[in-house]
Amino acid sequence: MNLRNYNIYFHTHTISGIIICGLLYVIFFAGSFSFFKDEISSWQRGVSFEQHKETSFPYETFLDSMDREYGLAGRDLTLYFYANTLKAGVSIGPSKDTLNEKASEGGFFSYDFITKEKTTYTESYDMAEFLYRLHFLAQLNGVVPFRLGYPFGYIIAGLVSFLFLFALITGLLVHWDKLVSNFFLFRPWSKLKTIWTDLHTVLGVIGFPYQFVFAFTGIILITNIAFIAPFTHLLYGDNPDKVYEDLGYTAATEAEYLNKPLEQVPDIRQFIGKTEEMWPDAFIKLVTVKNYGDQGMQLAIQADADHRKSFAGTGVMVYDLHTGEVLQQKSPYGQATYVNGLRSLIYRLHFGDYGGYFLKVIYFIMGIMGCLVIVSGILIWLVARDKNSVPPHKRKFNFWLSNVYLATCLTMFPVTAFTFIAVKMNAPADQDFIYHVYFYSWLILALYYIVRRDINRTNRETLLLGAVLSLCVPVTNGIYSGNWPWKTFADGAMDIFFLDLLWIAIAVVAYISYLKVRTRKLEDIKLKPKKQHKHKEKKHRKQRMPEKLGEPAGG
């Protein structure tokens, strides 16, 4: 490779990586657990979806209770269903009926299939939602009081994704010449710097396709609104509803409110059941009722095809409930449009929800491998700059920066396990409780290790603490919920059983890792500069390609 190009790739990789490594670790770590979002939700509630998956949504009970509370006449209401969960999101709009005393009331809340109770977003907030939103830094939206045309947390997540893509491509180019010869090179019995170097190279190359897919799809998902905004203004006359209709997110229906009450409100369950018979195994994700109780009342149903039959199929059915006429029909098992195919491909690749537990575990392992690549990259960056030629003040800054990064990243593991224990011991735990426990414990533990300024100790103790707390997660679940692993397995609550099993596996791996590293030390990183050699290096050194990762080419 040309020497100049190598240096460009090397420095681009190094600078982009060290800038984003802290936030990127948070995204990877939280995102890895988010693959088990449904299992975490079931675990925290103590109610297994697997045991109740045949339970259908109680439409009649729900509509009767909402009618008594809000007066549904003239309203539009939407039900959002989520796969593998026992809750639905409900949006109730204001009434068009001017005689309705509660016309201005409405809102968004969650409705539980089993308890038939509604809860606000903060009340239904759980660890699954927390980790999912943390993986695209949504919590920053509430911390930073201003908006730059887009929520602040999403902007940061988008920028991190862009820089991550640069780091991936330049990292591959840096290793391109030795890609084949070093692919299987791993020297676990060498000094620790060599181990970190090999780990960074091997895991980085192995995980490159996965990480590239995640970086690319993540950029699209997190910045799609920014891309859509100019097209909404230029091509759709600032009508976002029309944009989302063309993209297939909502059904293209226009229902005029006639202000003529129906003598009897039709049973929408009959129409939904009829649709389910037409589309076997399809998952109904959205049910919209417009102009409730009026002769202009319509029912719009959106469904996704069974992924085993159609990877990208999306269906729409719209009924005129006054006449029973079908106004719009599109089968999810028909020919998928380009937009539906592309959208489904991006979502499926990013969320990994099309291959069962096997694929989720593979995605989880690859995500944790990404965390190891980040940590090893930080250590390589630090050790490579602990040289006599580096001024003392720069060496101090390099150590300080690496120490902060590693303390913040590595403490995330025990803090996550600790919060799982806390939410189970203090059920029901709402959004405020989760925020306080997670972020305060993270802050305290990270500050402790930052002040200690001992990277070896930080590595060892966070592994041991994380292993112990991870093992306590299923124990706490058994004590406070009675859901011991052997019981959930016997009862068929496989989602709860799987999550407990995952934590046990994490505890075992973390403890084995602790045993491996407790007797090994990273080369001492001094805060003071090393003694300079008396002799001076020759000014005109032969230009060479570096033999070790972390060193630029040339002198």
Side-chain angles (χ1 to χ4, degrees):
M1 180 186 296
N2 180 276
L3 184 63
R4 178 176 178 276
N5 290 341
Y6 178 90
N7 279 330
I8 292 174
Y9 300 148
F10 173 83
H11 289 298
T12 303
H13 179 74
T14 303
I15 294 172
S16 60
I18 203 65
I19 290 174
I20 66 173
C21 61
L23 291 175
L24 188 62
Y25 186 96
V26 173
I27 291 173
F28 263 91
F29 189 87
S32 298
F33 279 92
S34 295
F35 295 125
F36 306 107
K37 186 173 185 286
D38 301 330
E39 289 77 13
I40 293 172
S41 184
S42 296
W43 181 90
Q44 184 171 335
R45 296 177 64 213
V47 180
S48 171
F49 169 79
E50 295 295 333
Q51 290 180 309
H52 300 87
K53 59 184 177 182
E54 300 300 327
T55 303
S56 59
F57 187 79
Y59 288 98
E60 185 176 355
T61 303
F62 166 75
L63 292 174
D64 287 344
S65 63
M66 294 300 103
D67 195 23
R68 289 192 300 269
E69 183 173 354
Y70 292 98
L72 294 180
R75 294 183 186 272
D76 296 344
L77 63 149
T78 303
L79 301 175
Y80 302 88
F81 296 102
Y82 311 104
N84 304 322
T85 62
L86 297 169
K87 294 188 296 183
V90 180
S91 175
I92 298 181
S95 176
K96 305 179 187 72
D97 185 355
T98 56
L99 299 179
N100 190 336
E101 296 178 356
K102 302 178 181 179
S104 60
E105 295 182 15
F108 182 85
F109 54 87
S110 295
Y111 188 83
D112 193 299
F113 289 25
I114 307 301
T115 64
K116 297 178 176 56
E117 295 177 350
K118 72 169 192 173
T119 54
T120 63
Y121 176 75
T122 56
E123 292 171 341
S124 62
Y125 199 87
D126 56 18
M127 279 299 295
E129 183 72 5
F130 174 81
L131 290 172
Y132 170 69
R133 297 184 67 79
L134 182 62
H135 106 277
F136 51 89
L137 310 179
Q139 284 81 356
L140 290 178
N141 298 339
V143 175
V144 179
F146 57 85
R147 289 171 60 101
L148 300 175
Y150 200 53
F152 182 77
Y154 300 165
I155 293 176
I156 299 300
L159 290 175
V160 170
S161 298
F162 272 114
L163 290 174
F164 178 45
L165 198 59
F166 276 107
L168 280 175
I169 296 173
T170 54
L172 185 67
L173 292 173
V174 165
H175 297 288
W176 189 258
D177 287 343
K178 297 182 179 181
L179 190 63
V180 177
S181 61
N182 289 355
F183 185 81
F184 298 102
L185 182 63
F186 187 65
R187 296 159 286 185
W189 311 117
S190 302
K191 59 183 181 179
L192 210 56
K193 179 186 176 183
T194 303
I195 296 175
W196 285 120
T197 302
D198 292 346
L199 191 69
H200 188 79
T201 305
V202 174
L203 294 185
V205 173
I206 292 175
F208 177 83
Y210 165 88
Q211 293 166 5
F212 181 85
V213 167
F214 260 72
F216 184 74
T217 57
I219 290 171
I220 295 174
L221 292 174
I222 200 67
T223 61
N224 65 81
I225 296 179
F227 292 147
I228 288 174
F231 290 100
T232 303
H233 176 71
L234 296 174
L235 303 178
Y236 288 86
D238 290 321
N239 185 359
D241 293 337
K242 181 61 177 174
V243 177
Y244 287 108
E245 286 176 6
D246 288 350
L247 290 176
Y249 288 101
T250 59
T253 59
E254 294 183 4
E256 181 183 358
Y257 179 68
L258 303 176
N259 198 19
K260 296 178 180 179
L262 291 169
E263 294 182 2
Q264 184 177 1
V265 178
D267 183 4
I268 67 170
R269 185 70 189 92
Q270 294 181 358
F271 291 90
I272 294 173
K274 179 181 177 181
T275 305
E276 289 175 335
E277 292 177 0
M278 296 173 59
W279 302 338
D281 299 323
F283 172 70
I284 293 180
K285 64 179 181 180
L286 197 67
V287 173
T288 302
V289 179
K290 296 193 173 185
N291 303 325
Y292 187 89
D294 185 72
Q295 290 185 13
M297 184 176 178
Q298 291 184 8
L299 173 67
I301 301 170
Q302 288 182 263
D304 286 335
D306 186 341
H307 296 151
R308 294 169 296 182
K309 300 178 181 179
S310 176
F311 190 74
T314 300
V316 177
M317 183 75 78
V318 180
Y319 294 99
D320 184 326
L321 295 185
H322 179 49
T323 63
E325 179 185 358
V326 176
L327 301 178
Q328 183 180 347
Q329 180 177 357
K330 177 182 176 297
S331 172
Y333 298 113
Q335 182 65 37
T337 64
Y338 171 79
V339 172
N340 287 339
L342 183 60
R343 185 181 69 246
S344 296
L345 180 65
I346 292 171
Y347 273 86
R348 298 287 83 80
L349 288 176
H350 193 83
F351 292 106
D353 58 356
Y354 57 92
Y357 282 130
F358 175 77
L359 187 65
K360 286 184 177 182
V361 170
I362 295 299
Y363 268 48
F364 178 80
I365 293 174
M366 298 299 290
I368 298 302
M369 281 174 54
C371 295
L372 293 176
V373 171
I374 294 168
V375 170
S376 60
I378 296 172
L379 291 171
I380 294 168
W381 180 86
L382 174 61
V383 173
R385 284 154 183 76
D386 187 47
K387 298 179 179 179
N388 295 328
S389 58
V390 179
H393 68 280
K394 288 186 177 181
R395 291 173 57 197
K396 289 181 180 180
F397 173 79
N398 294 340
F399 178 84
W400 172 85
L401 182 63
S402 301
N403 186 44
V404 170
Y405 274 151
L406 290 171
T408 303
C409 293
L410 297 178
T411 52
M412 195 175 179
F413 171 35
V415 165
T416 301
F418 172 72
T419 309
F420 268 82
I421 296 170
V423 297
K424 182 58 69 172
M425 294 175 64
N426 295 272
D430 59 9
Q431 183 178 15
D432 290 338
F433 179 84
I434 294 174
Y435 272 36
H436 290 158
V437 172
Y438 197 97
F439 288 124
Y440 283 135
S441 60
W442 193 7
L443 176 64
I444 292 171
L445 199 60
L447 286 177
Y448 170 75
Y449 284 112
I450 289 173
V451 172
R452 290 298 298 268
R453 297 192 301 179
D454 189 335
I455 293 176
N456 296 302
R457 189 162 188 166
T458 301
N459 188 32
R460 294 195 305 269
E461 292 183 359
T462 52
L463 278 173
L464 180 60
L465 184 59
V468 172
L469 291 175
S470 296
L471 192 60
C472 290
V473 171
V475 174
T476 306
N477 188 31
I479 293 174
Y480 284 87
S481 298
N483 289 326
W484 295 99
W486 53 86
K487 183 178 183 299
T488 54
F489 180 79
D491 293 342
M494 299 307 295
D495 44 3
I496 298 177
F497 169 77
F498 180 84
L499 194 71
D500 281 338
L501 193 65
L502 177 67
W503 277 113
I504 293 173
I506 291 173
V508 172
V509 173
Y511 186 68
I512 293 174
S513 302
Y514 164 74
L515 293 178
K516 294 293 184 181
V517 302
R518 68 174 179 173
T519 57
R520 315 268 317 252
K521 282 190 176 183
L522 183 69
E523 289 85 346
D524 292 331
I525 307 298
K526 304 295 185 181
L527 291 178
K528 296 180 180 180
K530 297 176 183 178
K531 294 182 180 179
Q532 300 289 337
H533 295 289
K534 293 181 179 180
H535 65 277
K536 295 183 180 180
E537 296 184 358
K538 294 181 179 180
K539 294 183 180 180
H540 303 287
R541 297 176 61 186
K542 185 179 180 181
Q543 297 291 315
R544 61 176 177 82
M545 296 294 288
E547 297 295 329
K548 298 179 182 179
L549 181 66
E551 297 179 357

